[in-house]
């Protein structure tokens, strides 16, 4: 029972049209996104780069239905999400989008396994199925034997792998990652990027990643650069 207007998505997971976001700080308008038009194809791997304050996180928050645009349209898999109720938005977010953050955002006093299961609790999945799913994903992330560890008993790379398992648990079509390697050393960063690349290539998950780092951005097929709330370049690599 989708409320928003479902339109034909034609292989486009996310489409934004004349998207604008203005924050107000003490009645002063801060134009964070000025006019953004983009289409992101299903199964693609996109990096978003740009200087600090250029609007990357603002854009990701809108894509992730964590925030609404001030003006413009956002179609997520063909559904216009701007008209949806907060409850319905939360549902879409939980079912269709996996999030990965710079600070991992795991619950501290909760085991790796329970952290991974959490989105399934919200979707009303049975305990048995939740456990099976989370064990499988932790194993896929190379974390067999670490299921009962708390986040603080894990390295940064291991915590980020728990967070990736959690992001995957609802079989989302899209993973949004905002600086996922920002708190990791370079070797661990490359391990995390290799995992994301594999999810994209082998499982067809669409990945949209924000990064400051040039070599991290290069893992994607397409690199979009923001400057002052606008897209200033959009490059698709030729497939070898
Ligand atoms: N909640 C908010 N209230 C007011 N202004 C905000 C808010 N969030 C962001 N901004 C402003 O909007 C602009 C874009 O911020 P945003 O966080 O999207 O940048 P960013 O590209 O993610 O930067 P960084 O690389 O530092 O993470 C900045 O000028 C920022 O100060
Ligand atoms: Mg940011």
């Amino acid at each position: 029972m989708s409320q928003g207007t479902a339109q034909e998505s034609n292989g486009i997971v996310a489409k934004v049209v004349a998207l604008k976001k203005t924050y107000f700080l003490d009645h002063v308008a801060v134009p964070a996104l000025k006019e953004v038009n983009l289409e992101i194809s299903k199964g693609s791997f996109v990096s978003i780069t740009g200087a600090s304050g250029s609007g990357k996180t603002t854009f990701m928050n809108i894509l992730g239905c964590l925030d609404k645009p001030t003006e413009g349209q956002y179609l997520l898999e063909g559904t216009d999400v701007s008209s949806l109720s907060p409850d319905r938005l939360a549902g879409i977010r939980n079912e269709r989008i996996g999030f990965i953050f710079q600070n991992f955002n795991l619950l501290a006093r909760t085991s790796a396994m329970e952290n991974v299961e959490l989105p399934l609790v919200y979707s009303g999945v049975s305990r048995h199925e939740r456990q099976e799913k989370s064990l499988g994903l932790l194993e896929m992330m190379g974390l067999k034997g670490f299921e009962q560890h708390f986040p603080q008993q894990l390295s940064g790379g291991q915590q980020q792998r728990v967070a990736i398992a959690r992001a995957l648990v609802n079989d989302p079509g899209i993973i949004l990652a905002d600086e996922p390697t920002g708190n990791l050393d370079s070797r661990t960063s490359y391990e995390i990027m290799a995992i994301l690349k594999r999810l994209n290539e082998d499982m067809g998950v669409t990945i949209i990643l924000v990064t400051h780092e040039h070599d991290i951005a290069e893992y994607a097929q397409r690199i979009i650069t923001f400057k002052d709330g606008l897209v200033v370049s959009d490059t698709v690599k030729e497939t070898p």
Side-chain angles (χ1 to χ4, degrees), residues 9-220:
S9 58
N10 284 328
I12 302 295
V13 272
K15 175 176 177 168
V16 301
V17 184
L19 193 79
K20 294 180 189 167
K21 178 73 187 183
T22 307
Y23 294 109
F24 286 92
L25 266 185
D26 301 324
H27 305 287
V28 177
V30 181
L33 295 175
K34 289 173 183 162
E35 160 106 32
V36 177
N37 296 288
L38 281 173
E39 286 188 355
I40 294 173
S41 307
K42 210 163 261 175
S44 60
F45 190 153
V46 179
S47 287
I48 295 177
T49 63
S52 182
S54 57
K56 305 180 298 294
T57 295
T58 302
F59 181 64
M60 293 289 266
N61 286 345
I62 293 172
L63 287 186
C65 303
L66 295 164
D67 203 354
K68 287 193 170 193
T70 312
E71 277 180 56
Q73 209 185 19
Y74 170 30
L75 298 174
L76 173 62
E77 292 172 332
T79 301
D80 184 350
V81 293
S82 33
S83 58
L84 297 183
S85 68
D87 273 5
R88 184 74 193 119
L89 264 190
I92 286 194
R93 194 158 63 224
N94 189 45
E95 287 159 23
R96 301 206 202 161
I97 303 169
F99 293 93
I100 305 172
F101 302 95
Q102 177 169 0
N103 297 317
F104 323 128
N105 283 22
L106 300 173
L107 294 183
R109 278 175 287 278
T110 307
S111 69
M113 191 170 154
E114 288 169 319
N115 265 286
V116 176
E117 280 179 45
L118 206 59
L120 293 178
V121 175
Y122 299 134
S123 332
V125 173
S126 75
R127 184 147 183 265
H128 175 76
E129 203 179 316
R130 292 201 309 258
Q131 291 181 341
E132 211 168 348
K133 193 95 199 248
S134 62
L135 287 175
L137 283 167
L138 284 169
E139 184 173 356
M140 185 176 136
M141 290 299 133
L143 290 171
K144 199 170 167 55
F146 293 92
E147 296 86 357
Q148 301 308 326
H149 286 229
F150 293 117
Q152 62 180 22
Q153 300 170 318
L154 297 168
S155 71
Q158 288 169 332
Q159 289 184 61
Q160 196 58 301
R161 283 185 275 146
V162 173
I164 296 174
R166 179 186 57 188
L168 289 171
V169 80
N170 267 323
D171 300 314
I174 311 174
I175 287 198
L176 299 179
D178 197 344
E179 300 275 4
T181 62
N183 282 355
L184 303 174
D185 60 66
S186 47
R187 191 180 61 86
T188 311
S189 297
Y190 299 140
E191 283 169 17
I192 293 298
M193 292 312 297
I195 291 173
L196 294 180
K197 187 110 185 130
R198 211 173 70 216
L199 296 177
N200 173 251
E201 287 176 356
D202 300 350
M203 294 167 62
V205 182
T206 305
I207 297 184
I208 307 174
L209 164 118
V210 166
T211 184
H212 277 101
E213 295 165 83
H214 183 71
D215 55 340
I216 296 295
E218 285 296 329
Y219 278 80

